[in-house]
Amino acid sequence: MLSAPLAPPAMHIPDGFLSVFVAVTLWIVTIVIVAIALHRVSADLGERQVPMMGVLAAAIFAGQMLNFPVAGGTSGHLLGAALATILMGPWAAIIIMTCVLGIQGLIFQDGGLLAMGANIFNMGIVGVIVTHFVYRSVRALAGGKPWGIFVGGFLSAWLSVIIAALVTALELALSGTSPANIAVPAMGGIHILIGLGEGLITVGALAFLYFVRPDLLNVGEAKPAGASVWIAGLVVALAIALASPLASSFPDGLEWVAEQQGFLHIAQSAPYQIIPDYALPGIANKELATILAGIVGVLLVFGAAFGIAYARRKDRAPQAASRTLN
Amino acid sequence: MHHTIQVHNLVFKYPDGTRALDDVSFTIAPGEKVALVGPNGAGKSTLILHLNGILRGEGQVRVAGMEVGANANLPKIRAAVGLVFQDPDDQLFSPTVFDDVAFGPLYQGLPEKEVRARVAAALAAVHMQDYAARVSHHLSVGQKKRIAIATTLSMEPEILVLDEPTAGLDPRARRDVIKLLRELPQTMLIATHDLRMVAELLPRTLVMDQGRVVADRATPALLDDEAFLLAHGLEKP
Amino acid sequence: MHIHFLDPYHAGRSPIHQLDPRVKLVLAVAFILTASLLPFGAWPSYILLLALILSIELLTEMGIAYFLKRAFLALPFMLAALPLIFTVQGTPLATFTLGAWTFTISVEGVERVASIAFKSWVSVQMAIVLASTTSFPQLLAAMRALRIPKLLVAIFGLMWRYIFVLADEALRLLRARAARSGARRDAPYKTGGTLAWRARVTGGMAGSLLVRSFERGDRIYAAMAARGYDGETRTLPLPALQTWHWLVLGAGLIIYILIWLVGALIV
């Protein structure tokens, strides 16, 4: 019942699913954005926020254990990017989600290491930015009335999950590890439902906070200036959310996929064509190479076994010595 | 007539193989008020979590005439056993006192009129009838404790199981909780370190140590046996 | 009952445990990079990677079964790659029709899916080796040495400290909810409430976890400030790398490059 303390793996990309091109590009983008976020957070918030962000990252991690039964043995979970953004603002939320996703990948193998840049990008950066845009827009529309908190919370949480999933699917398609015309509508469709759970839990949490610690939600604060910009953001976000799955399910979508795969072909083959004709002499055919690989493999395992025996013998000597002393 | 609680040869192992409960057996008759004492880590909280199937070990646990092992019985057992946790903040997770006390009846699917009646009755029983609209988080620890008890009373349980009901309370709040526990008619099992309360309130005591029940005696006789208390990390009050 | 067994680190004295955490982190990431760089269908290289990771697992003295069992974590994600057996163009392997649709499985598609699964499988094994033989404080020290910003490392460290505390808190919340999720004995009613109500209750639990975390964060700051914390995290640096560490690092990287060459040039 309580055996799965980790988040659902639906969106944590494991290693092996992203091409190096995609993974490294997203690592670079992520590093730049996280560096900016770190700069902004230490400038704006001060040292008091360091323990706060650590504890909140732990709380988001633990909060992902909280679930509720939906139907047929499935359950709704919390991802938490939206809550973190609403409570701490976008920059701190990016850092909090970076820590959550970093620990999940590094310690619990929930998401890969090379793929971590992408996972932080999808859930920690895209999720946070979408939430920020949508939530602030709705709050501004509501003009400081409490409904803005709840409607904004629901919409931002829901959309942040859907759009993060769509971005994930596009990355897989770009890596050639999932066909775009299937991955995009499938991931989008599933996460339209999963996102509903995220939205409802987020509203529940906001309701609790609204009663208990309204100060954390800056109740009453609204920025009417610039509302049009935020509304535009909301419209764009909605358009992406609704249009992507539709687009790729139309026959025309297949042309787009073909284009992507053409691009993919170029992007992927490049690293291997650096030294195209210099095959190593003697192992030019595949069968021989496989046999050779097998032999080297056996040698490696044998070497490891030898290493253990050697290490054991070295360990035993001091233990024996200490035993005689006792 | 069935026993209210019947535990037979219960064993529970942690994933690493440690025996948190080691061959635990006892029975509690309807209406009895029993203390469960023992040092930290003796297995008291683990035992309590078995009484409504949150943890399941090997052996037999029957509560209110139902087998805890059977999945079909679980919802009924959870309504029959009111479990009051040590930290009321774990139990009070709704915005208002009303929502928290209404959780059990709402989960049971009762109609709105009955939910309201149950909440009113439960709050009256713990003398907190004026607090329905309040925010649980902002109450004092003693008040939270009483609301936590009310959240189980609203399910109309046969049995109340409480984990450390007096821990962390100031003397007056402690006195209020003891008074309240004396008033409640349910069968009770109370895990506690508060032996003064045990002497005052609970005629029978189970002593646990290292996952085993090492004594099951009348409270006055047990509290006179200073050597035994000392051997199990307890002190005569 | 606490959930400290969440921590995958297993204390030990094997050569892998004793390897410097900086070297281990770099070699683990480089291994995964090598696997990812290999083209689809480079089976000789895949076998070498598998042999290498199995050897390393042997060296940890923890038993290969432990790693293989945990390595199935990434399996559900294979669902995303599975449609490739139909969509990748190439030599047809089998064709079947389902209503108006005709599906053709291609050899290239099967090979690509198998390649993705294999790369993912060996990569996750390396990640498990890293996590189970390196304690978290060691990983933090390695991150610091690898120039990850101090502020981020400090937040990682605080987060790790409180993960178990808060996971316990979440577990207790779940238990308290389960304990009251009952049904009447003469139950004529449908239990469980509505979906939206269940979600809202779960949200309340998340909210209560967050509020308590905010309060805890304030208390931690007070406790840190009371001991002279001024925003700067000071730690003792790791000792300088010894010659044998550099040798292991160099040898590891050379092996990876050779494995990559085998895959990139021959296949």
Side-chain angles (χ1 to χ4, degrees):
Chain A
M1 173 183 55
L2 303 170
S3 59
L6 305 175
M11 234 195 284
H12 293 66
I13 306 173
D15 281 321
F17 280 82
L18 290 180
S19 69
V20 173
F21 175 75
V22 171
V24 170
T25 307
L26 289 172
W27 253 123
I28 292 168
V29 172
T30 296
I31 287 169
V32 169
I33 295 178
V34 170
I36 297 171
L38 281 169
H39 184 75
R40 289 294 295 262
V41 163
S42 40
D44 296 355
L45 300 171
E47 85 271 9
R48 192 181 192 94
Q49 295 302 328
V50 173
M52 191 58 89
M53 284 193 288
V55 173
L56 286 183
I60 298 284
F61 180 93
Q64 294 183 348
M65 291 165 65
L66 302 175
N67 61 356
F68 66 97
V70 175
T74 59
S75 57
H77 281 263
L78 184 72
L79 269 171
L83 268 179
T85 313
I86 292 168
L87 289 174
M88 297 294 285
W91 298 114
I94 285 174
I95 294 173
I96 288 173
M97 292 311 291
T98 299
C99 289
V100 171
L101 294 160
I103 294 248
Q104 283 173 339
L106 202 55
I107 304 297
F108 301 104
Q109 291 82 48
D110 206 359
L113 297 183
L114 191 63
M116 192 185 286
N119 285 324
I120 293 174
F121 179 79
N122 301 342
M123 285 174 277
I125 295 173
V126 172
V128 165
I129 290 174
V130 170
T131 303
H132 184 64
F133 265 80
V134 176
Y135 181 72
R136 298 264 31 131
S137 318
V138 178
R139 286 290 304 268
L141 271 179
K145 293 194 188 70
W147 66 262
I149 297 174
F150 302 110
V151 174
F154 177 81
L155 281 179
S156 62
W158 185 43
L159 286 172
S160 72
V161 168
I162 297 170
I163 292 175
L166 291 176
V167 174
T168 305
L170 288 174
E171 288 159 11
L172 293 175
L174 222 58
S175 296
T177 55
S178 194
N181 58 333
I182 294 170
V184 172
M187 283 286 276
I190 292 165
H191 285 86
I192 284 173
L193 296 178
I194 291 179
L196 285 176
E198 178 82 3
L200 289 170
I201 297 180
T202 302
V203 170
L206 291 173
F208 186 92
L209 292 162
Y210 181 75
F211 277 94
V212 174
R213 286 286 300 273
D215 56 306
L216 296 177
L217 296 174
N218 306 318
V219 175
E221 181 212 317
K223 292 173 185 159
S228 54
V229 177
W230 299 114
I231 292 164
L234 173 66
V235 170
V236 170
L238 270 169
I240 297 171
L242 298 176
S244 309
L246 285 175
S248 54
S249 63
F250 282 126
D252 287 357
L254 289 171
E255 282 177 26
W256 177 79
V257 173
E259 270 176 41
Q260 294 301 314
Q261 284 187 339
F263 164 67
L264 177 83
H265 196 69
I266 299 160
Q268 272 220 321
S269 53
Y272 316 121
Q273 285 174 351
I274 301 166
I275 15 178
D277 295 324
Y278 296 88
L280 293 178
I283 45 171
N285 76 58
K286 200 171 168 177
E287 286 73 24
L288 192 61
T290 309
I291 292 167
L292 206 69
I295 293 170
V296 176
V298 169
L299 284 176
L300 273 167
V301 176
F302 183 78
F306 180 78
I308 291 173
Y310 178 73
R312 280 267 156 90
R313 203 172 47 219
K314 217 173 69 179
D315 282 354
R316 222 165 274 140
Q319 274 171 20
S322 66
R323 218 171 282 133
T324 50
L325 281 176
N326 295 332
Chain B
M1 188 69 218
H2 62 73
H3 283 294
T4 298
I5 296 176
Q6 190 172 7
V7 176
H8 191 63
N9 296 340
L10 180 62
V11 173
F12 180 75
K13 293 179 204 143
Y14 286 134
D16 66 359
T18 322
R19 284 180 174 233
L21 295 179
D22 196 354
D23 203 16
V24 169
S25 301
F26 64 92
T27 57
I28 293 176
E32 262 195 299
K33 315 255 178 197
V34 182
L36 180 61
V37 304
N40 290 335
K44 303 190 295 291
S45 299
T46 308
L47 174 61
I48 282 175
L49 291 172
H50 279 81
L51 297 181
N52 69 356
I54 287 182
L55 296 181
R56 314 246 201 116
E58 303 150 36
Q60 198 189 33
V61 180
R62 287 178 72 84
V63 173
M66 294 174 283
E67 188 74 47
V68 175
N71 277 323
N73 286 339
L74 265 189
K76 290 174 197 165
I77 286 167
R78 284 175 179 173
V81 183
L83 210 56
V84 181
F85 288 78
Q86 179 174 354
D87 183 351
D89 281 330
D90 292 330
Q91 206 156 353
L92 306 178
F93 43 67
S94 308
T96 65
V97 168
F98 180 90
D99 293 330
D100 268 321
V101 181
F103 176 90
L106 281 175
Y107 191 92
Q108 292 180 18
L110 303 180
E112 187 187 330
K113 213 177 118 205
E114 193 172 351
V115 172
R116 291 191 181 281
R118 291 262 193 120
V119 172
L123 286 176
V126 299
H127 310 296
M128 297 284 284
Q129 49 271 66
D130 299 331
Y131 284 74
R134 296 281 287 273
V135 177
S136 318
H137 192 80
H138 294 159
L139 302 178
S140 73
V141 187
Q143 289 170 326
K144 281 186 193 171
K145 211 63 157 194
R146 285 190 275 155
I147 300 297
I149 294 171
T151 65
T152 62
L153 292 180
S154 63
M155 301 190 299
E156 297 187 344
E158 244 180 275
I159 309 142
L160 276 183
V161 179
L162 300 99
D163 199 354
E164 302 281 7
T166 57
L169 299 183
D170 64 33
R172 191 184 345 177
R174 173 178 173 274
R175 184 49 53 198
D176 287 346
V177 165
I178 292 176
K179 226 189 304 180
L180 170 63
L181 293 177
R182 199 195 303 280
E183 288 167 12
L184 296 173
Q186 283 85 357
T187 308
M188 268 183 213
L189 178 66
I190 303 182
T192 185
H193 295 305
D194 185 350
L195 292 188
R196 282 196 298 141
M197 173 186 71
V198 172
E200 214 177 303
L201 198 63
L202 307 164
R204 178 181 157 201
T205 301
L206 297 171
V207 183
M208 285 193 77
D209 199 359
Q210 297 185 347
R212 294 172 161 274
V213 173
V214 291
D216 180 356
R217 295 159 73 175
T219 302
L222 179 82
L223 294 182
D224 278 339
D225 191 346
E226 281 192 57
F228 181 84
L229 289 178
L230 210 61
H232 295 287
L234 300 167
E235 250 177 36
K236 187 181 160 71
Chain C
M1 184 171 154
H2 300 279
I3 50 176
H4 289 255
F5 54 85
L6 254 180
D7 186 355
Y9 174 64
H10 286 62
R13 299 190 55 212
S14 78
I16 305 295
H17 282 85
Q18 285 172 14
L19 189 58
D20 184 274
R22 288 164 287 193
V23 176
K24 221 188 302 184
L25 187 57
V26 169
L27 284 179
V29 173
F31 178 92
I32 293 166
L33 185 67
T34 308
S36 298
L37 270 173
L38 284 169
F40 298 124
W43 293 103
S45 294
Y46 294 177
I47 290 172
L48 289 176
L49 283 178
L50 181 63
L52 187 61
I53 188 67
L54 288 178
S55 315
I56 293 168
E57 286 164 11
L58 261 178
L59 278 175
T60 63
E61 301 178 3
M62 290 166 59
I64 288 183
Y66 168 84
F67 297 96
L68 295 186
K69 219 160 56 188
R70 288 189 63 125
F72 285 108
L73 269 174
L75 207 60
F77 214 84
M78 280 311 296
L79 220 56
L82 216 52
L84 287 170
I85 60 174
F86 305 115
T87 60
V88 173
Q89 304 293 312
T91 326
L93 192 68
T95 303
F96 61 94
T97 50
L98 207 75
W101 298 78
T102 305
F103 293 96
T104 306
I105 299 176
S106 72
V107 176
E108 283 78 359
V110 171
E111 183 167 67
R112 182 168 323 175
V113 171
S115 300
I116 294 167
F118 202 94
K119 286 173 170 205
S120 176
W121 187 52
V122 292
S123 300
V124 79
Q125 287 187 60
M126 182 50 103
I128 296 168
V129 167
L130 177 68
S132 54
T133 63
T134 321
S135 72
F136 197 75
Q138 279 184 312
L139 279 176
L140 286 181
M143 285 188 216
R144 240 176 261 123
L146 296 172
R147 300 283 179 276
I148 291 177
K150 274 184 183 169
L151 181 61
L152 195 60
V153 179
I155 298 172
F156 262 119
L158 277 156
M159 179 192 176
W160 181 251
R161 167 65 185 80
Y162 289 101
I163 269 187
F164 299 103
V165 176
L166 292 181
D168 266 342
E169 224 161 71
L171 194 62
R172 291 201 304 269
L173 281 164
L174 287 168
R175 282 177 178 161
R177 182 183 62 179
R180 282 187 283 156
S181 303
R184 269 171 59 135
R185 201 80 77 94
D186 50 337
Y189 306 114
K190 186 184 163 294
T191 60
T194 63
L195 191 65
W197 178 72
R198 288 201 296 270
R200 218 179 57 224
V201 168
T202 310
M205 293 160 73
S208 120
L209 196 66
L210 283 169
V211 166
R212 286 199 269 168
S213 302
F214 264 100
E215 291 165 354
R216 192 186 290 276
D218 280 335
R219 291 197 301 271
I220 295 167
Y221 171 71
M224 286 167 74
R227 282 184 287 164
Y229 171 72
D230 59 0
E232 182 74 21
T233 324
R234 297 175 182 79
T235 45
L236 297 174
L238 284 172
L241 287 179
Q242 292 163 0
T243 321
W244 76 273
H245 289 131
W246 287 109
L247 285 177
V248 170
L249 184 63
L253 294 178
I254 288 169
I255 290 173
Y256 295 162
I257 291 169
L258 289 177
I259 291 177
W260 176 74
L261 281 175
V262 169
L265 299 181
I266 297 157
V267 181

